[in-house]
Coordinates of all heavy atoms in Angstrom, one line a residue:
M161 N 267.3 -59.3 31.4 CA 266.9 -59.6 32.8 C 268.0 -60.5 33.4 O 268.5 -61.4 32.7 CB 265.6 -60.3 32.8 CG 265.1 -60.8 34.2 SD 263.4 -61.5 34.2 CE 263.6 -62.9 33.2
R162 N 268.3 -60.4 34.7 CA 269.2 -61.2 35.3 C 268.9 -61.3 36.8 O 268.3 -60.4 37.4 CB 270.7 -60.7 35.2 CG 270.9 -59.4 35.8 CD 272.3 -58.9 35.5 NE 272.5 -57.6 36.1 CZ 273.0 -57.3 37.3 NH1 273.3 -58.3 38.1 NH2 273.1 -56.1 37.7
P163 N 269.2 -62.4 37.4 CA 268.9 -62.6 38.9 C 269.8 -61.7 39.7 O 270.9 -61.4 39.3 CB 269.2 -64.1 39.2 CG 270.1 -64.5 38.1 CD 269.8 -63.6 36.9
A164 N 269.3 -61.2 40.8 CA 270.1 -60.4 41.7 C 271.1 -61.2 42.4 O 271.0 -62.4 42.6 CB 269.1 -59.8 42.8
R165 N 272.3 -60.6 42.7 CA 273.4 -61.3 43.3 C 273.1 -61.6 44.8 O 273.7 -62.6 45.3 CB 274.7 -60.5 43.2 CG 275.2 -60.5 41.8 CD 276.6 -60.0 41.7 NE 276.9 -58.9 42.7 CZ 277.9 -58.1 42.5 NH1 278.6 -58.1 41.5 NH2 278.1 -57.1 43.4
F166 N 272.3 -60.8 45.4 CA 271.9 -61.2 46.8 C 270.5 -60.7 47.1 O 270.0 -59.8 46.3 CB 272.9 -60.5 47.8 CG 273.0 -59.0 47.7 CD1 272.1 -58.2 48.5 CD2 273.8 -58.4 46.9 CE1 272.2 -56.9 48.5 CE2 273.9 -57.0 46.8 CZ 273.0 -56.2 47.6
S167 N 269.9 -61.3 48.1 CA 268.6 -60.9 48.4 C 268.5 -61.0 50.0 O 269.2 -61.7 50.6 CB 267.5 -61.7 47.7 OG 267.7 -63.1 48.1
P168 N 267.5 -60.3 50.5 CA 267.4 -60.3 52.0 C 266.8 -61.6 52.5 O 266.2 -62.4 51.8 CB 266.4 -59.1 52.3 CG 265.6 -59.1 51.0 CD 266.5 -59.4 49.9
T169 N 267.0 -61.9 53.8 CA 266.4 -63.0 54.4 C 264.9 -62.8 54.4 O 264.1 -63.7 54.2 CB 266.9 -63.1 55.9 OG1 268.3 -63.3 55.8 CG2 266.3 -64.3 56.6
A170 N 264.5 -61.6 54.7 CA 263.1 -61.2 54.7 C 262.9 -59.8 54.1 O 263.8 -59.0 54.3 CB 262.5 -61.3 56.1
Q171 N 261.8 -59.6 53.5 CA 261.5 -58.2 53.1 C 260.0 -57.9 53.5 O 259.1 -58.7 53.3 CB 261.6 -58.1 51.6 CG 261.6 -56.6 51.1 CD 262.2 -56.4 49.7 OE1 262.5 -57.4 49.0 NE2 262.4 -55.2 49.3
I172 N 259.9 -56.8 54.1 CA 258.6 -56.4 54.7 C 258.1 -55.2 53.9 O 258.7 -54.1 53.9 CB 258.7 -56.0 56.2 CG1 259.3 -57.2 57.0 CG2 257.4 -55.5 56.7 CD1 259.7 -56.9 58.4
F173 N 257.0 -55.3 53.2 CA 256.4 -54.3 52.3 C 255.3 -53.6 53.1 O 254.4 -54.2 53.6 CB 255.9 -54.8 51.0 CG 256.9 -55.5 50.2 CD1 257.2 -56.8 50.3 CD2 257.6 -54.7 49.2 CE1 258.2 -57.4 49.4 CE2 258.6 -55.3 48.4 CZ 258.9 -56.6 48.5
V174 N 255.4 -52.3 53.3 CA 254.5 -51.5 54.1 C 253.8 -50.5 53.1 O 254.4 -49.7 52.5 CB 255.2 -50.7 55.2 CG1 254.2 -49.9 56.0 CG2 256.0 -51.7 56.1
C175 N 252.5 -50.6 53.0 CA 251.7 -49.8 52.1 C 251.5 -48.4 52.8 O 251.1 -48.3 53.9 CB 250.3 -50.3 51.8 SG 249.3 -49.3 50.8
G176 N 251.9 -47.4 52.0 CA 251.7 -46.0 52.4 C 250.9 -45.2 51.4 O 251.1 -44.0 51.2
N177 N 250.1 -46.0 50.6 CA 249.4 -45.3 49.5 C 248.5 -44.2 49.9 O 247.7 -44.3 50.9 CB 248.6 -46.4 48.8 CG 248.1 -46.0 47.4 OD1 248.8 -45.4 46.7 ND2 246.8 -46.2 47.1
Q178 N 248.6 -43.1 49.3 CA 247.9 -41.9 49.6 C 246.6 -41.8 48.8 O 246.6 -42.0 47.6 CB 248.7 -40.6 49.3 CG 250.0 -40.5 50.2 CD 249.7 -40.2 51.6 OE1 248.7 -39.5 51.9 NE2 250.5 -40.6 52.5
R179 N 245.5 -41.6 49.5 CA 244.2 -41.4 48.9 C 243.4 -40.3 49.6 O 243.7 -40.0 50.8 CB 243.3 -42.7 49.0 CG 243.8 -43.8 48.1 CD 242.6 -44.7 47.7 NE 243.0 -45.7 46.7 CZ 243.3 -46.9 47.0 NH1 243.2 -47.3 48.3 NH2 243.7 -47.8 46.1
A180 N 242.5 -39.7 48.9 CA 241.7 -38.7 49.5 C 240.9 -39.2 50.7 O 240.5 -40.4 50.7 CB 240.7 -38.1 48.5
A181 N 240.6 -38.4 51.7 CA 239.9 -38.8 52.9 C 238.5 -39.4 52.5 O 238.1 -40.3 53.3 CB 239.8 -37.7 53.8
D182 N 237.9 -39.0 51.5 CA 236.6 -39.5 51.1 C 236.6 -40.6 50.1 O 235.6 -41.0 49.5 CB 235.7 -38.3 50.6 CG 236.3 -37.7 49.4 OD1 237.4 -37.9 49.0 OD2 235.5 -36.9 48.8
D183 N 237.8 -41.1 49.8 CA 237.9 -42.2 48.8 C 237.2 -43.4 49.3 O 237.5 -43.8 50.5 CB 239.4 -42.5 48.5 CG 239.5 -43.4 47.3 OD1 239.0 -44.5 47.3 OD2 240.2 -43.0 46.3
P184 N 236.3 -44.1 48.5 CA 235.7 -45.3 49.0 C 236.6 -46.4 49.4 O 236.3 -47.3 50.1 CB 234.7 -45.7 47.9 CG 235.2 -44.9 46.7 CD 235.9 -43.7 47.2
L185 N 237.8 -46.4 48.8 CA 238.8 -47.5 49.2 C 239.6 -47.1 50.4 O 240.5 -47.8 50.8 CB 239.8 -47.7 48.0 CG 239.1 -48.4 46.8 CD1 240.1 -48.5 45.6 CD2 238.6 -49.8 47.2
T186 N 239.2 -46.0 51.1 CA 239.8 -45.5 52.3 C 241.2 -44.9 52.2 O 241.9 -45.2 51.3 CB 239.9 -46.6 53.5 OG1 241.1 -47.3 53.3 CG2 238.7 -47.5 53.5
S187 N 241.5 -44.1 53.2 CA 242.8 -43.4 53.2 C 243.7 -43.9 54.4 O 244.6 -43.3 54.8 CB 242.6 -41.9 53.3 OG 241.9 -41.6 54.5
A188 N 243.3 -45.1 54.9 CA 244.0 -45.6 56.1 C 245.5 -45.8 55.9 O 246.3 -45.5 56.7 CB 243.3 -46.9 56.6
C189 N 245.8 -46.4 54.8 CA 247.2 -46.7 54.5 C 248.0 -45.4 54.4 O 249.1 -45.3 54.9 CB 247.4 -47.6 53.3 SG 246.9 -49.3 53.4
G190 N 247.5 -44.4 53.8 CA 248.1 -43.2 53.6 C 248.3 -42.5 55.0 O 249.3 -41.8 55.2
A191 N 247.3 -42.7 55.9 CA 247.4 -42.0 57.2 C 248.3 -42.7 58.1 O 248.8 -42.1 59.1 CB 246.0 -42.0 57.8
N192 N 248.5 -44.0 57.9 CA 249.2 -44.8 58.9 C 250.5 -45.5 58.4 O 251.4 -45.9 59.2 CB 248.3 -45.9 59.5 CG 247.1 -45.4 60.2 OD1 247.3 -44.9 61.3 ND2 246.0 -45.5 59.6
G193 N 250.7 -45.6 57.1 CA 251.8 -46.3 56.5 C 253.1 -45.8 56.9 O 254.1 -46.5 57.2
A194 N 253.3 -44.5 56.8 CA 254.6 -43.9 57.1 C 255.1 -44.2 58.6 O 256.2 -44.5 58.8 CB 254.6 -42.4 56.9
A195 N 254.1 -44.0 59.5 CA 254.5 -44.3 60.9 C 254.8 -45.8 61.1 O 255.7 -46.1 61.9 CB 253.3 -43.9 61.8
V196 N 254.0 -46.7 60.5 CA 254.3 -48.1 60.6 C 255.7 -48.4 60.0 O 256.5 -49.1 60.6 CB 253.2 -48.9 59.9 CG1 253.6 -50.4 59.8 CG2 251.9 -48.8 60.7
Y197 N 255.9 -47.8 58.8 CA 257.3 -48.1 58.2 C 258.4 -47.6 59.1 O 259.3 -48.4 59.3 CB 257.3 -47.3 56.8 CG 258.7 -47.2 56.2 CD1 259.2 -48.2 55.4 CD2 259.6 -46.2 56.5 CE1 260.4 -48.2 54.9 CE2 260.8 -46.1 56.0 CZ 261.3 -47.1 55.2 OH 262.5 -47.1 54.6
D198 N 258.3 -46.4 59.7 CA 259.3 -45.9 60.6 C 259.5 -46.9 61.8 O 260.6 -47.1 62.3 CB 259.0 -44.5 61.0 CG 259.2 -43.5 59.9 OD1 259.8 -43.8 58.9 OD2 258.6 -42.4 60.1
A199 N 258.4 -47.3 62.3 CA 258.4 -48.2 63.5 C 259.0 -49.5 63.2 O 259.8 -50.1 64.0 CB 257.0 -48.4 64.1
V200 N 258.7 -50.1 62.1 CA 259.2 -51.4 61.7 C 260.7 -51.3 61.4 O 261.6 -52.1 61.9 CB 258.5 -52.0 60.5 CG1 259.2 -53.2 59.9 CG2 257.1 -52.3 60.8
R201 N 261.1 -50.2 60.7 CA 262.6 -49.9 60.5 C 263.3 -49.8 61.8 O 264.5 -50.3 61.9 CB 262.7 -48.7 59.7 CG 262.5 -48.8 58.2 CD 263.7 -49.2 57.4 NE 264.8 -48.2 57.6 CZ 266.0 -48.4 57.0 NH1 266.2 -49.5 56.3 NH2 267.0 -47.6 57.2
K202 N 262.7 -49.1 62.8 CA 263.4 -48.9 64.1 C 263.6 -50.3 64.7 O 264.7 -50.5 65.3 CB 262.5 -48.0 64.9 CG 263.1 -47.7 66.3 CD 262.2 -46.7 67.0 CE 262.9 -46.3 68.3 NZ 262.2 -46.8 69.5
V203 N 262.6 -51.2 64.7 CA 262.8 -52.5 65.3 C 263.9 -53.3 64.6 O 264.7 -53.9 65.2 CB 261.5 -53.3 65.3 CG1 261.7 -54.7 65.7 CG2 260.4 -52.6 66.2
V204 N 263.9 -53.2 63.3 CA 264.9 -53.9 62.5 C 266.3 -53.4 62.8 O 267.2 -54.2 63.0 CB 264.6 -53.8 61.0 CG1 265.7 -54.3 60.1 CG2 263.3 -54.6 60.6
R205 N 266.4 -52.1 62.9 CA 267.7 -51.5 63.2 C 268.1 -51.9 64.6 O 269.3 -52.3 64.8 CB 267.6 -49.9 63.1 CG 268.9 -49.2 63.3 CD 268.8 -47.7 63.2 NE 267.8 -47.2 62.3 CZ 266.7 -46.6 62.6 NH1 266.3 -46.6 63.9 NH2 265.8 -46.2 61.7
E206 N 267.2 -51.8 65.6 CA 267.6 -52.1 67.0 C 268.0 -53.6 67.1 O 268.8 -53.9 68.0 CB 266.4 -51.9 67.9 CG 266.2 -50.4 68.1 CD 264.9 -50.1 68.9 OE1 264.1 -51.0 69.1 OE2 264.7 -48.9 69.2
R207 N 267.5 -54.4 66.3 CA 267.8 -55.9 66.3 C 269.1 -56.2 65.5 O 269.5 -57.3 65.4 CB 266.6 -56.7 65.9 CG 265.5 -56.6 67.0 CD 264.4 -57.5 66.6 NE 264.7 -58.9 66.6 CZ 263.9 -59.9 66.4 NH1 262.6 -59.6 66.4 NH2 264.3 -61.2 66.4
G208 N 269.6 -55.2 64.8 CA 270.9 -55.4 64.0 C 270.6 -56.2 62.8 O 271.5 -56.9 62.3
L209 N 269.4 -56.0 62.2 CA 269.0 -56.8 61.1 C 268.9 -56.0 59.7 O 268.4 -56.5 58.8 CB 267.7 -57.5 61.3 CG 267.6 -58.5 62.5 CD1 266.2 -58.9 62.8 CD2 268.5 -59.7 62.2
L210 N 269.4 -54.8 59.7 CA 269.2 -53.9 58.5 C 269.7 -54.5 57.2 O 269.1 -54.3 56.2 CB 269.9 -52.6 58.8 CG 269.1 -51.6 59.6 CD1 269.9 -50.3 59.8 CD2 267.8 -51.3 59.0
S211 N 270.8 -55.3 57.3 CA 271.3 -55.9 56.1 C 270.5 -57.1 55.6 O 270.6 -57.5 54.4 CB 272.8 -56.2 56.2 OG 273.0 -57.2 57.2
S212 N 269.8 -57.8 56.5 CA 269.1 -59.0 56.2 C 267.6 -58.9 56.1 O 266.9 -59.7 55.5 CB 269.5 -60.1 57.1 OG 269.2 -59.8 58.4
V213 N 267.1 -57.9 56.8 CA 265.6 -57.7 56.7 C 265.4 -56.3 56.1 O 265.7 -55.3 56.8 CB 265.0 -57.8 58.1 CG1 263.5 -57.5 58.1 CG2 265.2 -59.2 58.7
W214 N 264.9 -56.3 54.9 CA 264.6 -55.0 54.3 C 263.2 -54.6 54.5 O 262.3 -55.4 54.4 CB 264.9 -55.1 52.8 CG 266.3 -55.5 52.4 CD1 267.4 -55.6 53.3 CD2 266.8 -55.7 51.1 NE1 268.5 -55.9 52.6 CE2 268.2 -56.0 51.2 CE3 266.2 -55.8 49.8 CZ2 269.0 -56.3 50.1 CZ3 267.0 -56.1 48.8 CH2 268.4 -56.4 48.9
V215 N 263.0 -53.3 54.7 CA 261.7 -52.7 54.9 C 261.4 -51.8 53.7 O 262.2 -50.9 53.5 CB 261.5 -52.0 56.2 CG1 260.1 -51.6 56.5 CG2 262.0 -52.9 57.4
T216 N 260.3 -52.0 53.0 CA 260.1 -51.2 51.8 C 258.7 -50.6 51.8 O 257.7 -51.2 52.0 CB 260.2 -52.2 50.6 OG1 261.5 -52.8 50.6 CG2 260.1 -51.4 49.3
R217 N 258.7 -49.3 51.4 CA 257.4 -48.6 51.3 C 256.8 -49.0 49.9 O 257.5 -49.0 49.0 CB 257.6 -47.1 51.3 CG 258.2 -46.5 52.5 CD 258.5 -45.1 52.3 NE 259.7 -44.7 53.0 CZ 259.7 -43.7 54.0 NH1 258.6 -43.1 54.2 NH2 260.8 -43.5 54.6
T218 N 255.5 -49.2 49.9 CA 254.9 -49.5 48.6 C 253.6 -48.7 48.4 O 253.1 -48.0 49.3 CB 254.5 -51.0 48.6 OG1 253.3 -51.2 49.4 CG2 255.6 -51.9 49.0
G219 N 253.1 -48.8 47.2 CA 251.8 -48.3 46.9 C 250.8 -49.4 47.3 O 251.1 -50.3 48.0
C220 N 249.6 -49.3 46.7 CA 248.5 -50.2 47.1 C 248.9 -51.7 46.9 O 249.4 -52.1 45.9 CB 247.3 -49.8 46.3 SG 245.8 -50.9 46.7
L221 N 248.6 -52.5 48.0 CA 248.8 -53.9 47.9 C 247.6 -54.7 47.7 O 247.5 -55.9 47.8 CB 249.5 -54.3 49.3 CG 250.9 -53.8 49.5 CD1 251.3 -54.0 51.0 CD2 251.9 -54.5 48.6
G222 N 246.5 -54.0 47.3 CA 245.2 -54.6 47.0 C 244.3 -55.0 48.1 O 243.3 -55.6 47.9
Q223 N 244.7 -54.6 49.3 CA 243.8 -55.0 50.5 C 243.0 -53.8 51.1 O 241.9 -54.0 51.5 CB 244.7 -55.6 51.6 CG 245.4 -56.8 51.2 CD 244.5 -58.0 51.2 OE1 243.3 -57.9 51.5 NE2 245.0 -59.2 50.8
C224 N 243.6 -52.6 51.1 CA 243.0 -51.4 51.4 C 242.1 -51.5 52.7 O 240.9 -51.4 52.7 CB 242.1 -50.9 50.3 SG 242.9 -50.8 48.7
P225 N 242.8 -51.7 53.9 CA 242.1 -51.9 55.1 C 241.5 -50.5 55.5 O 241.9 -49.5 55.1 CB 243.2 -52.3 56.1 CG 244.5 -51.7 55.5 CD 244.3 -51.8 54.0
K226 N 240.5 -50.6 56.4 CA 239.8 -49.4 56.9 C 240.5 -48.8 58.1 O 240.2 -47.7 58.5 CB 238.4 -49.7 57.2 CG 237.5 -50.1 56.0 CD 236.1 -50.2 56.3 CE 235.2 -50.6 55.2 NZ 235.7 -50.4 53.9
D227 N 241.5 -49.5 58.6 CA 242.2 -49.1 59.8 C 243.7 -49.5 59.6 O 244.0 -50.4 58.9 CB 241.6 -49.8 61.1 CG 242.2 -49.1 62.3 OD1 242.6 -48.0 62.3 OD2 242.1 -49.8 63.4
G228 N 244.6 -48.7 60.2 CA 246.0 -49.0 60.1 C 246.5 -49.0 58.6 O 246.0 -48.2 57.8
C229 N 247.4 -50.0 58.3 CA 247.8 -50.1 56.9 C 248.0 -51.6 56.6 O 247.8 -52.4 57.5 CB 249.1 -49.3 56.7 SG 250.5 -50.1 57.4
A230 N 248.3 -51.9 55.3 CA 248.5 -53.3 54.9 C 250.0 -53.5 54.8 O 250.8 -52.6 54.5 CB 247.9 -53.5 53.5
V231 N 250.4 -54.7 55.2 CA 251.8 -55.2 55.2 C 251.9 -56.5 54.5 O 251.0 -57.4 54.8 CB 252.4 -55.2 56.6 CG1 253.7 -55.9 56.6 CG2 252.5 -53.8 57.2
V232 N 252.9 -56.7 53.7 CA 253.1 -58.1 53.1 C 254.5 -58.5 53.5 O 255.5 -57.8 53.5 CB 253.0 -58.0 51.5 CG1 253.6 -59.3 50.9 CG2 251.6 -57.8 51.1
L233 N 254.6 -59.8 53.9 CA 255.8 -60.4 54.3 C 256.4 -61.3 53.2 O 255.6 -62.2 52.7 CB 255.6 -61.2 55.6 CG 254.9 -60.5 56.7 CD1 254.6 -61.5 57.9 CD2 255.7 -59.3 57.2
Y234 N 257.6 -61.1 52.8 CA 258.2 -62.0 51.8 C 259.6 -62.5 52.3 O 260.3 -61.8 53.0 CB 258.5 -61.1 50.5 CG 259.3 -61.9 49.5 CD1 258.7 -62.8 48.7 CD2 260.7 -61.8 49.5 CE1 259.4 -63.5 47.8 CE2 261.4 -62.6 48.6 CZ 260.8 -63.4 47.7 OH 261.5 -64.2 46.8
P235 N 259.9 -63.8 52.1 CA 259.2 -64.8 51.5 C 258.2 -65.6 52.4 O 257.7 -66.6 52.0 CB 260.3 -65.7 50.9 CG 261.3 -65.6 51.9 CD 261.2 -64.2 52.5
A236 N 258.1 -65.1 53.6 CA 257.3 -65.9 54.6 C 255.8 -66.0 54.1 O 255.2 -67.0 54.3 CB 257.3 -65.2 56.0
G237 N 255.4 -65.0 53.4 CA 254.0 -65.0 52.9 C 253.1 -64.4 53.9 O 253.4 -64.2 55.1
G238 N 251.9 -64.1 53.5 CA 250.9 -63.6 54.4 C 250.8 -62.1 54.2 O 251.8 -61.4 53.9
Q239 N 249.6 -61.6 54.3 CA 249.3 -60.2 54.3 C 248.7 -59.8 55.6 O 247.8 -60.5 56.1 CB 248.4 -59.9 53.1 CG 249.0 -60.3 51.8 CD 248.4 -59.7 50.6 OE1 247.5 -58.9 50.7 NE2 248.9 -60.0 49.4
L240 N 249.2 -58.8 56.2 CA 248.6 -58.3 57.5 C 247.8 -57.0 57.2 O 248.2 -56.2 56.5 CB 249.8 -58.0 58.4 CG 250.8 -59.2 58.6 CD1 252.0 -58.7 59.4 CD2 250.1 -60.3 59.3
L241 N 246.7 -56.9 57.9 CA 245.8 -55.8 57.8 C 245.7 -55.1 59.1 O 245.9 -55.6 60.2 CB 244.5 -56.2 57.2 CG 244.5 -57.0 55.9 CD1 243.1 -57.4 55.5 CD2 245.2 -56.2 54.8
D242 N 245.2 -53.8 59.0 CA 245.0 -53.0 60.2 C 246.3 -52.9 61.1 O 246.2 -52.8 62.3 CB 243.9 -53.6 61.1 CG 242.6 -53.7 60.3 OD1 242.4 -53.1 59.2 OD2 241.7 -54.6 60.7
V243 N 247.4 -52.8 60.4 CA 248.7 -52.7 61.1 C 248.9 -51.3 61.7 O 248.8 -50.4 60.9 CB 249.9 -53.2 60.2 CG1 251.2 -53.1 61.0 CG2 249.6 -54.6 59.7
R244 N 249.3 -51.2 62.9 CA 249.6 -49.9 63.6 C 251.1 -49.9 64.0 O 251.7 -51.0 64.1 CB 248.7 -49.8 64.8 CG 247.2 -49.6 64.4 CD 247.0 -48.3 63.9 NE 245.6 -48.0 63.9 CZ 245.1 -46.7 63.7 NH1 245.9 -45.7 63.5 NH2 243.8 -46.5 63.7
E245 N 251.6 -48.7 64.4 CA 252.9 -48.6 64.9 C 253.3 -49.6 66.0 O 254.4 -50.2 66.0 CB 253.2 -47.2 65.5 CG 253.2 -46.1 64.5 CD 253.3 -44.8 65.3 OE1 254.4 -44.5 65.8 OE2 252.3 -44.1 65.4
G246 N 252.3 -49.8 66.9 CA 252.6 -50.7 68.0 C 252.7 -52.1 67.6 O 253.1 -53.0 68.5
D247 N 252.4 -52.5 66.4 CA 252.6 -53.8 65.9 C 253.9 -54.1 65.3 O 254.2 -55.3 64.9 CB 251.5 -54.1 64.8 CG 250.1 -54.0 65.3 OD1 249.8 -54.4 66.5 OD2 249.2 -53.4 64.6
A248 N 254.8 -53.1 65.3 CA 256.1 -53.3 64.6 C 256.9 -54.5 65.0 O 257.4 -55.3 64.2 CB 256.9 -52.0 64.8
S249 N 257.1 -54.7 66.3 CA 257.8 -55.9 66.8 C 257.2 -57.2 66.3 O 257.9 -58.1 65.9 CB 258.0 -55.9 68.3 OG 258.8 -54.8 68.7
A250 N 255.9 -57.3 66.4 CA 255.2 -58.5 66.0 C 255.3 -58.7 64.5 O 255.5 -59.9 64.0 CB 253.7 -58.4 66.4
V251 N 255.3 -57.6 63.7 CA 255.5 -57.8 62.3 C 256.9 -58.4 61.9 O 257.0 -59.3 61.2 CB 255.4 -56.4 61.6 CG1 255.8 -56.4 60.1 CG2 253.9 -55.9 61.6
V252 N 257.9 -57.8 62.6 CA 259.3 -58.3 62.4 C 259.4 -59.8 62.8 O 260.0 -60.6 62.1 CB 260.3 -57.5 63.1 CG1 261.7 -58.1 63.0 CG2 260.3 -56.0 62.5
E253 N 258.8 -60.1 63.9 CA 258.8 -61.5 64.4 C 258.1 -62.4 63.5 O 258.7 -63.5 63.2 CB 258.2 -61.5 65.8 CG 258.5 -62.7 66.6 CD 260.0 -62.9 66.8 OE1 260.8 -61.9 67.0 OE2 260.5 -64.1 66.6
L254 N 257.0 -62.0 62.9 CA 256.3 -62.9 62.0 C 257.1 -63.0 60.7 O 257.1 -64.1 60.1 CB 254.9 -62.3 61.6 CG 253.8 -62.5 62.6 CD1 252.6 -61.7 62.3 CD2 253.4 -64.0 62.7
A255 N 257.7 -62.0 60.3 CA 258.5 -62.1 59.0 C 259.7 -63.1 59.2 O 260.0 -63.8 58.2 CB 259.1 -60.7 58.7
L256 N 260.2 -63.1 60.4 CA 261.3 -64.1 60.6 C 260.9 -65.5 61.0 O 261.4 -66.5 60.5 CB 262.2 -63.5 61.7 CG 263.0 -62.2 61.4 CD1 263.7 -61.7 62.7 CD2 264.0 -62.5 60.3
R257 N 259.8 -65.5 61.8 CA 259.4 -66.8 62.3 C 258.8 -67.7 61.2 O 259.1 -68.9 61.2 CB 258.3 -66.6 63.4 CG 258.0 -67.9 64.1 CD 257.0 -67.8 65.2 NE 256.8 -66.5 65.7 CZ 255.6 -66.0 66.1 NH1 254.6 -66.8 66.1 NH2 255.5 -64.8 66.6
A258 N 258.1 -67.2 60.3 CA 257.4 -68.0 59.3 C 258.3 -68.0 58.0 O 257.8 -68.5 57.0 CB 256.1 -67.3 58.9
N259 N 259.5 -67.6 58.1 CA 260.4 -67.5 57.0 C 261.2 -68.7 56.8 O 262.1 -69.0 57.6 CB 261.3 -66.3 57.1 CG 262.1 -66.0 55.9 OD1 262.4 -66.8 55.1 ND2 262.4 -64.7 55.8
P260 N 261.1 -69.5 55.7 CA 261.9 -70.6 55.4 C 263.4 -70.3 55.2 O 264.2 -71.2 55.3 CB 261.3 -71.2 54.2 CG 260.6 -70.1 53.5 CD 260.1 -69.2 54.6
R261 N 263.7 -69.0 55.0 CA 265.1 -68.7 54.8 C 265.8 -68.2 56.0 O 267.0 -67.9 56.0 CB 265.2 -67.6 53.7 CG 264.7 -68.0 52.4 CD 264.6 -66.9 51.4 NE 265.9 -66.4 51.1 CZ 266.2 -65.3 50.4 NH1 265.2 -64.6 50.0 NH2 267.4 -64.9 50.2
N262 N 265.1 -68.2 57.2 CA 265.6 -67.7 58.4 C 266.4 -68.9 59.1 O 265.8 -69.9 59.5 CB 264.5 -67.2 59.4 CG 265.1 -66.8 60.7 OD1 266.3 -66.8 61.0 ND2 264.2 -66.4 61.6
P263 N 267.7 -68.9 59.1 CA 268.5 -70.0 59.7 C 268.2 -70.3 61.1 O 268.4 -71.4 61.6 CB 269.9 -69.6 59.4 CG 269.9 -68.1 59.2 CD 268.5 -67.7 58.7
S264 N 267.7 -69.3 61.9 CA 267.5 -69.6 63.3 C 266.1 -70.1 63.6 O 265.7 -70.3 64.7 CB 267.7 -68.3 64.1 OG 266.7 -67.3 63.7
R265 N 265.3 -70.3 62.6 CA 264.0 -70.8 62.7 C 263.9 -72.2 63.2 O 264.7 -73.0 63.0 CB 263.3 -70.7 61.3 CG 261.9 -70.9 61.3 CD 261.4 -70.7 59.9 NE 260.2 -71.5 59.7 CZ 260.0 -72.5 58.8 NH1 260.9 -72.6 57.9 NH2 259.0 -73.2 58.8
Ligands
LIG142 S1 245.9 -48.6 49.8 FE1 247.1 -49.9 51.1 S2 246.5 -51.9 50.4 FE2 245.4 -50.5 49.1

């Protein structure tokens, strides 16, 4: 094991875990995660932050919301639920605003 040579200012994990429509843990992340991922990536790209803010698709983050999808912000902390495409700008803003590694904070 060795430490990475570089890491992003922020990393946004978007759950796109696929589950059957009748799964008691819900299929919301599977239904919404890809669209949220694409929308967040678009905001990051438009703001010229692709090298410093990484957006990563993940499996289950343990929250399993009934609407939208789950998102985790690193290292800012916090887990967001019921996230929809229209929340993309707010997600990026939260990832940067609450981030101790953001120099413009
Ligand atoms: S399926 Fe997305 S948090 Fe569990």
Side-chain angles (χ1 to χ4, degrees):
M161 176 173 69
R162 63 186 177 89
R165 288 196 321 205
F166 61 92
S167 58
T169 300
Q171 192 160 8
I172 300 168
F173 296 92
V174 180
C175 179
N177 195 43
Q178 297 288 331
R179 286 209 174 96
D182 61 348
D183 191 299
L185 289 176
T186 84
S187 59
C189 286
N192 298 287
V196 170
Y197 170 85
D198 289 344
V200 172
R201 282 270 304 174
K202 182 172 185 254
V203 170
V204 169
R205 187 181 323 105
E206 287 172 353
R207 292 182 63 174
L209 297 170
L210 281 175
S211 64
S212 58
V213 177
W214 296 357
V215 187
T216 305
R217 299 173 213 241
T218 74
C220 182
L221 293 165
Q223 296 287 355
C224 309
K226 294 190 181 342
D227 192 19
C229 73
V231 169
V232 168
L233 307 175
Y234 173 84
Q239 301 199 1
L240 306 172
L241 304 179
D242 305 338
V243 180
R244 294 285 195 165
E245 287 176 74
D247 298 319
S249 292
V251 168
V252 173
E253 200 53 45
L254 279 171
L256 293 172
R257 189 178 340 146
N259 187 335
R261 296 174 64 189
N262 180 2
S264 64
R265 186 177 154 237

